[in-house]
Amino acid sequence: MRGSGPAALVARRLLAVPVVLLALSTAVFLAMRLLPGSPATALSAGGGQTLTAAELSANEARVSQALGLDQPILTQYLRFLGDLARLDLGSSFYGSNDVLGLLAGALPATIELTLAAMAIAVLLGVISGVVAALRRGTWIDTSVRTVATVSFSLPWFALGVLGVVVFGVWLRWLPVIGRLPNALDYRPTTNFVLLDAILQDRPELVGPWLQHLILPATTLALSMAGFITRIVRASVLEVLGDEFVRTARMKGLAEGAVVRRHVLRNSWLPIVTVLGLQFGSLLGGSVITETVFSYPGVGSLLVDGVLQRDYPVVQGAALAIALLFTLVNVAVDLFYLVLDPRLRKG
């Protein structure tokens, strides 16, 4: 048995998921405990009361003992792995909120934001990349490549702040904070706004949700769109030089048909590879973007957890992001099987 068929490929990718999650959870566990500061210090401050140094030290010792932070790191790590094996991510140090519950509320918002950004980036990147390739050497090609380079070079934080200032403050076209207006009294069923609007028969949710989504999604998409543009252009140019494209043209096929039937179909493999890798960049960028726009997703949860040294929240948020990225890469491998029949041969 060669073990190189589609089932073996998918099995290998799925078996790698727990290994990746274990490695990342270990790295996050150690990183949080190596950072200066301790959650026990903030939690033992006495709620704003003035405490002597001795009282503060005694409070900190009690909090550390209650949270198990006074135990050796190895003991804490083994306990963490045991809880993780039971799918128990623990509770936040602040308010004792269950981490799984916090993720259930935040993860749908991040998925919505990432998918919207991916859709915008793919639409802009593929169209501009194909146009630039078909107009190679013209001013259109030069302009597209220049814009793509600029957009890819700008950091998410700068794009986010620029969007807030221009479209939120100066023009007042779009809201710049949150996911929905508070006046709508949104009570989630699945916490996916579009799905809840259908399930709850509340179409009035869709318009405000899209208005709040446009700026953060476009901020994430612009940088990725520039990178996709350059990859698509290079891939299309490579395929345009192949023999089968010249043969199709010699047979009298219209240029549009040549591009649709031959060029695009044979350009997708490197493009899909880039999209899978860039999805991880989008998830990383969502941490910054959600912070800029006060968007209630996993990114905001992660940043707040790091600032507060809320170990369970940070570990849970990092695992959620890593799981999403890993599953997307498995999906990319499955998509390869659709795009390239040679991979389906066992």
Side-chain angles (χ1 to χ4, degrees):
M1 182 178 294
R2 292 167 58 187
S4 59
L9 175 65
V10 175
R12 285 197 301 270
R13 295 297 185 267
L14 290 176
L15 287 174
V17 173
V19 178
V20 171
L21 295 182
L22 177 62
L24 180 116
S25 62
T26 301
V28 172
F29 177 90
L30 294 175
M32 287 303 300
R33 283 154 180 81
L34 291 174
L35 285 175
S38 168
T41 303
L43 289 168
S44 62
Q49 300 177 8
T50 302
L51 300 176
T52 64
E55 291 172 332
L56 187 60
S57 178
N59 281 354
E60 186 172 346
R62 284 195 294 269
V63 172
S64 293
Q65 185 177 16
L67 298 177
L69 301 177
D70 61 330
Q71 299 177 2
I73 288 185
L74 180 59
T75 303
Q76 296 182 45
Y77 178 65
L78 293 176
R79 187 176 68 243
F80 165 69
L81 290 182
D83 292 340
L84 190 60
R86 299 192 301 271
L87 300 180
D88 180 7
L89 298 180
S91 300
S92 169
F93 291 159
Y94 300 82
S96 299
N97 295 311
D98 181 65
V99 172
L100 282 176
L102 292 174
L103 290 176
L107 197 56
T110 295
I111 292 175
E112 288 175 350
L113 176 59
T114 305
L115 291 179
M118 178 72 79
I120 295 171
V122 170
L123 182 64
L124 294 177
V126 170
I127 292 176
S128 60
V130 171
V131 169
L134 296 178
R135 298 292 185 270
R136 181 182 184 181
T138 66
W139 67 269
I140 295 176
D141 181 24
T142 303
S143 301
V144 169
R145 286 189 290 120
T146 301
V147 172
T149 302
V150 171
S151 67
F152 178 63
S153 302
L154 288 174
W156 282 302
F157 180 81
L159 286 172
V161 172
L162 184 63
V164 169
V165 172
V166 174
F167 297 102
V169 178
W170 291 352
L171 299 176
R172 298 184 182 275
W173 286 355
L174 295 168
V176 296
I177 293 177
R179 190 182 180 203
L180 279 171
N182 293 329
L184 282 177
D185 189 27
Y186 172 54
R187 299 181 181 180
T189 301
T190 65
N191 214 25
F192 289 95
V193 176
L194 186 59
L195 182 57
D196 286 348
I198 297 172
L199 295 176
Q200 300 175 9
D201 192 22
R202 296 189 63 188
E204 71 274 10
L205 293 174
V206 178
W209 167 66
L210 288 175
Q211 289 178 344
H212 282 76
L213 186 63
I214 288 174
L215 266 182
T218 305
T219 296
L220 270 179
L222 284 178
S223 179
M224 182 179 176
F227 187 66
I228 293 175
T229 296
R230 300 187 71 88
I231 296 298
V232 170
R233 178 183 179 276
S235 181
V236 170
L237 284 176
E238 182 179 353
V239 175
L240 282 172
D242 288 342
E243 290 290 340
F244 64 86
V245 174
R246 287 195 288 268
T247 302
R249 284 171 173 162
M250 290 173 62
K251 290 180 178 179
L253 279 180
E255 187 66 19
V258 172
V259 172
R260 288 194 306 272
R261 297 179 190 176
H262 299 284
V263 176
L264 290 180
R265 287 181 60 184
N266 289 278
S267 302
W268 271 111
L269 273 179
I271 296 171
V272 169
T273 302
V274 168
L275 292 181
L277 295 173
Q278 287 298 299
F279 188 85
S281 298
L282 285 182
L283 289 172
S286 70
V287 175
I288 301 171
T289 305
E290 289 176 7
T291 302
V292 172
F293 293 97
S294 297
Y295 200 81
V298 177
S300 294
L301 200 65
L302 181 63
V303 171
D304 291 341
V306 171
L307 293 176
Q308 296 177 330
R309 303 296 188 270
D310 198 344
Y311 299 163
V313 170
V314 174
Q315 291 160 181
L319 279 173
I321 292 175
L323 180 61
L324 273 179
F325 179 53
T326 307
L327 292 179
V328 165
N329 278 275
V330 172
V332 168
D333 289 333
L334 293 176
F335 200 35
Y336 282 165
L337 302 178
V338 176
L339 293 175
D340 192 344
R342 294 171 297 179
L343 297 176
R344 297 197 290 269
K345 296 178 182 180

